[in-house]
């Protein structure tokens, strides 16, 4: 009897233990695992959005550029704007701590990077490696405008853009080249030859509709959506440059034709004037840039750039234009502080202001202020001897960057219209009544 009781008791205990074990398993599966899962998600990150096509394409591209030492940095306007809105937090994000894809997973067709071509040492084989990683790549080349003034090198081609597509997303690599004015330049994206126009939606590209010029940015490395990338240290400044980056070249071919018809003045006097005028222009540019004042080449200086890609040796002065809304009250003192005393002041801020400063070697700096009306712009002129005032009318214009005497500087984009209006106005202007 006692033996039977022992067996029964043992069976009951075994059954009870099994039931308790099953209950523990059930409880863990339906309650504790859910709770613990939420806790893990909170502390380690849920990895939301990291399966997007955009993020995978960017990740592969960064792997490619890192392994091949390709000097790229992020310039995509949409992504940089998002980063800039939360810049301090993004800068302090460590690798692997990201729980949600907030930037590279944003729906878009392209992600844009800049390639610093002068630092690239391993261009050969890059295409092949990219294709082995699953990318389909397109290379766009054109002539190097920096060599247009050298007959023996004219027509030399350089890479301007790369477009690498992975699945439905594409990486647009904008090739930045160094220019002699210590700035970076990229070329126009022109499709030539048998290119598949449906390879990507080219019209949606943010860069390449026209050549562009940018200040040389200082870079910093940050972690974005778990990926280490270089971006401009001041992303806001770079973003502000984009809509105003359009660049136009000096017309070297036409300048050579001009000098074939009219011999260039290479006398000692002309060379000395050009040297002094260049130094005066550089000093004026530094002064105005410190003040944050936009300016451009005007009158004879603009004509020299357009017609002969140089300073006109018989002009005897340097001419700049400034929008009157950019006038600063300390502009005169700023020029005087750098050794350019005021020679003349005509008009006033509200009407026909013109300033003239005396540079060294009897070279003068003339600054003309422009006023905007509904359908045109104008600036005023005053005869020094008689005090008569004149109004010179110009069609509305925008500003483009160019390179002139080893400087990145503005000229009117609508250059020929501006020059024609300038010299037509000069010969047909009418005197106007002075305002009280």
């Amino acid at each position: 009897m006692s033996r039977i009781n022992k067996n029964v008791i043992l069976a009951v205990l075994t059954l009870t233990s099994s039931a308790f074990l099953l209950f523990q398993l059930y409880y863990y599966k339906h309650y504790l695992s859910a709770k613990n899962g939420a806790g893990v998600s909170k502390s380690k990150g849920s990895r939301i959005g990291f399966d997007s096509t955009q993020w995978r394409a960017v990740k592969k591209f960064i792997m490619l550029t890192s392994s091949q030492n390709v000097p790229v940095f992020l310039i995509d306007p949409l992504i940089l704007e998002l980063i800039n809105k939360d810049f301090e937090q993004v800068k302090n994000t460590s690798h692997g701590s990201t729980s949600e894809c907030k930037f590279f997973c944003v729906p878009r067709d392209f992600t844009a990077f800049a390639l610093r071509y002068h630092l690239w040492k391993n261009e050969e084989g890059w295409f092949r490696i990219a294709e082995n990683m699953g990318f389909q790549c397109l290379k766009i080349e054109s002539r190097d405008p920096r060599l247009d003034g050298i007959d023996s090198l004219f027509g030399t081609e350089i890479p301007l853009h790369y477009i690498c597509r992975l699945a439905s997303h594409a990486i647009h690599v904008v090739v930045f080249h160094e220019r002699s004015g210590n700035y970076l330049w990229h070329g126009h994206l022109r499709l030539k030859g048998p290119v598949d126009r449906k390879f990507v939606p080219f019209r949606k590209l943010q860069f390449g509709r026209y050549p562009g010029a940018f200040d040389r940015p200082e870079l910093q490395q940050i972690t974005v959506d778990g990926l280490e990338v270089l971006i401009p240290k001041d992303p806001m400044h770079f973003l502000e440059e984009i809509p105003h980056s359009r660049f136009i070249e000096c017309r070297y071919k036409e300048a050579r034709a001009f000098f074939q018809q009219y011999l260039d003045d290479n006398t000692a006097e002309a060379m000395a004037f050009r040297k002094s005028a260049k130094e005066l222009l550089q000093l004026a540019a530094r002064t105005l840039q410190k003040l944050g004042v936009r300016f451009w080449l005007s009158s004879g200086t603009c004509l020299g750039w357009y017609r002969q890609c140089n300073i006109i040796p018989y002009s005897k002065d340097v001419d700049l234009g400034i929008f009157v809304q950019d006038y600063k009250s300390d502009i005169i003192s700023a020029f005087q502080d750098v050794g350019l005393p005021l020679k003349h002041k005509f008009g006033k801020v509200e009407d026909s202001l013109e300033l003239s400063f005396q540079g060294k070697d009897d070279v003068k700096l003339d600054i003309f202020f422009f006023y905007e009306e509904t359908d045109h712009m104008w600036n005023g002129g005053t005869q020094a001897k008689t005090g008569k005032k004149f109004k010179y009318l110009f069609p509305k214009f925008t500003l483009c960057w160019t390179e002139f005497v080893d400087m990145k500087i503005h000229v009117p984009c609508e250059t020929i219209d501006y020059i024609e209006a300038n010299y037509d106005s000069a010969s047909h202007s009418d005197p106007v009544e002075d305002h009280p």
Side-chain angles (χ1 to χ4, degrees):
M1 182 73 182
S2 61
R3 182 166 185 162
I4 293 173
N5 288 340
K6 285 181 181 180
N7 289 337
V8 171
I9 292 170
L10 184 61
V12 169
L13 288 174
T14 302
L15 185 61
T16 304
S17 298
S18 300
F20 183 73
L21 180 61
L22 288 172
F23 173 78
Q24 283 184 311
L25 289 172
Y26 179 86
Y27 183 79
Y28 177 81
K29 181 178 179 182
H30 291 276
Y31 295 96
L32 288 183
S33 63
K35 287 184 179 180
N36 290 340
V40 169
S41 175
K42 232 177 205 180
S43 61
K44 294 185 179 179
S46 59
R47 308 294 291 170
I48 298 171
F50 289 90
D51 58 346
S52 74
T53 303
Q54 295 92 338
W55 185 83
R56 288 200 303 269
V58 173
K59 180 184 178 182
K60 272 201 171 186
F61 177 75
I62 291 173
M63 288 170 57
L64 168 65
T65 55
S66 298
S67 65
Q68 299 301 307
N69 296 316
V70 183
V72 298
F73 62 95
L74 182 69
I75 59 170
D76 192 275
L78 175 61
I79 308 302
L80 284 182
E81 283 178 10
L82 293 173
I83 290 172
N84 190 64
K85 288 177 182 177
D86 204 8
F87 197 30
E88 290 304 315
Q89 183 175 343
V90 174
K91 283 195 298 185
N92 296 322
T93 300
S94 59
H95 183 72
S97 64
T98 305
S99 62
E100 183 177 353
C101 185
K102 297 180 179 179
F103 305 99
F104 288 130
C105 298
V106 173
R108 64 199 183 284
D109 295 297
F110 298 92
T111 303
F113 285 83
L115 166 63
R116 294 171 289 168
Y117 191 74
H118 59 286
L119 299 177
W120 197 10
K121 306 298 182 185
N122 187 28
E123 183 180 0
E124 297 299 325
W126 184 78
F127 253 35
R128 177 179 51 80
I129 296 168
E131 289 173 349
N132 288 341
M133 294 180 70
F135 286 103
Q136 293 177 283
C137 291
L138 176 67
K139 179 180 181 180
I140 293 145
E141 295 181 303
S142 191
R143 62 178 178 77
D144 189 344
R146 297 169 296 181
L147 305 176
D148 281 0
I150 306 172
D151 289 336
S152 60
L153 298 175
F154 177 79
T156 302
E157 293 208 333
I158 53 173
L160 298 180
H161 298 267
Y162 294 94
I163 298 176
C164 292
R165 186 180 68 187
L166 184 71
S168 60
H169 193 69
I171 306 295
H172 180 198
V173 182
V174 184
V175 184
F176 276 26
H177 294 271
E178 282 193 319
R179 299 287 294 241
S180 59
N182 194 34
Y183 63 96
L184 299 177
W185 168 91
H186 72 76
H188 187 187
L189 196 159
R190 284 194 180 97
L191 300 178
K192 298 184 295 184
V195 176
D196 180 5
R197 308 289 165 139
K198 296 181 180 179
F199 181 67
V200 290
F202 289 100
R203 292 183 181 275
K204 294 184 180 181
L205 290 172
Q206 297 281 347
F207 298 89
R209 295 173 188 171
Y210 42 74
F214 291 83
D215 294 337
R216 186 191 301 274
E218 187 179 350
L219 304 177
Q220 68 174 358
Q221 184 169 289
I222 61 172
T223 300
V224 180
D225 293 336
L227 304 175
E228 292 184 0
V229 294
L230 284 172
I231 68 165
K233 196 168 186 178
D234 185 352
M236 195 65 232
H237 176 70
F238 186 85
L239 287 167
E240 288 171 348
E241 285 188 284
I242 293 174
H244 309 290
S245 63
R246 187 179 175 187
F247 184 95
I248 55 179
E249 294 286 350
C250 174
R251 306 183 319 148
Y252 293 105
K253 183 179 177 181
E254 289 79 2
R256 287 198 299 269
F258 178 82
F259 287 126
Q260 287 172 1
Q261 186 173 359
Y262 307 98
L263 291 180
D264 194 9
D265 186 351
N266 290 318
T267 61
E269 183 183 3
M271 299 293 283
F273 169 74
R274 279 178 169 156
K275 181 176 182 296
S276 297
K278 176 180 177 180
E279 291 172 355
L280 178 58
L281 178 57
Q282 291 174 334
L283 179 58
R286 288 195 299 270
T287 304
L288 291 170
Q289 285 163 357
K290 284 182 181 178
L291 291 172
V293 173
R294 291 177 299 169
F295 66 96
W296 64 90
L297 303 181
S298 190
S299 302
T301 309
C302 185
L303 176 63
W305 167 80
Y306 182 79
R307 190 176 65 186
Q308 53 213 77
C309 298
N310 209 335
I311 294 168
I312 299 174
Y314 54 80
S315 60
K316 304 306 178 188
D317 56 20
V318 171
D319 302 308
L320 299 179
I322 293 176
F323 294 120
V324 74
Q325 62 264 33
D326 292 332
Y327 171 82
K328 298 287 179 69
S329 60
D330 54 349
I331 190 170
I332 294 175
S333 61
F335 278 110
Q336 290 175 332
D337 288 344
V338 296
L340 299 176
L342 182 68
K343 185 174 182 179
H344 296 296
K345 178 184 178 183
F346 299 116
K348 48 194 174 183
V349 176
E350 297 81 13
D351 178 38
S352 305
L353 182 63
E354 179 185 340
L355 302 176
S356 183
F357 298 90
Q358 185 60 60
K360 67 177 186 178
D361 301 324
D362 205 31
V363 182
K364 191 161 54 83
L365 171 67
D366 291 329
I367 299 180
F368 304 96
F369 287 85
F370 281 69
Y371 300 77
E372 185 172 0
E373 303 291 348
T374 304
D375 59 352
H376 68 278
M377 296 182 181
W378 64 274
N379 75 318
T382 305
Q383 286 183 345
K385 291 182 179 179
T386 65
K388 277 188 176 181
K389 291 175 59 178
F390 296 86
K391 179 180 282 190
Y392 305 106
L393 305 182
F394 294 78
K396 286 199 169 184
F397 59 89
T398 53
L399 297 180
C400 284
W401 291 111
T402 192
E403 186 172 308
F404 184 61
V405 294
D406 299 325
M407 294 177 61
K408 169 176 167 266
I409 200 163
H410 275 130
V411 292
C413 301
E414 302 79 9
T415 317
I416 188 63
D417 293 337
Y418 181 88
I419 291 173
E420 287 178 348
N422 198 157
Y423 287 95
D424 185 59
S425 292
S427 59
H428 297 97
S429 59
D430 294 321
V432 296
E433 295 295 326
D434 197 2
H435 292 281

